[in-house]
Amino acid sequence: MFGSETAVEVINDLVKVVGVTAYDENFPLVRHLMDALSYPVLEGSNVGVRRRQLQELIRTPGYDPLSASGLA
């Protein structure tokens, strides 16, 4: 997740630095931009990975959903 989200952030920053030229199809940054935008969607998507991590946390023995709120 970290890698795919960082790739999108870095490429977006590069596009801002390069400017309009970055969108030229002959400029290699466009290909990298398209690849980076697809990373979070591939491999089960980052949202799906986070959802599975949250489900695992909730299934942990002794999990108290109110503990973080201070109401427990």
Side-chain angles (χ1 to χ4, degrees):
M1 284 187 307
F2 176 76
S4 63
E5 291 174 358
T6 302
V8 171
E9 185 177 327
V10 168
I11 296 295
N12 279 332
D13 289 346
L14 282 171
V15 168
K16 291 175 189 175
V17 169
V18 172
V20 166
T21 307
Y23 293 101
D24 182 4
E25 290 185 12
N26 296 323
F27 197 71
L29 197 55
V30 172
R31 187 182 78 245
H32 297 300
L33 176 63
M34 296 304 160
D35 289 345
L37 290 173
S38 68
Y39 293 153
V41 178
L42 299 174
E43 301 297 328
S45 84
N46 289 352
V47 174
V49 170
R50 287 189 175 141
R51 183 178 297 132
R52 287 188 293 278
Q53 290 173 341
L54 181 61
Q55 288 172 344
E56 198 61 36
L57 173 71
I58 291 172
R59 290 184 200 155
T60 304
Y63 171 74
D64 183 11
L66 297 177
S67 63
S69 68
L71 298 174

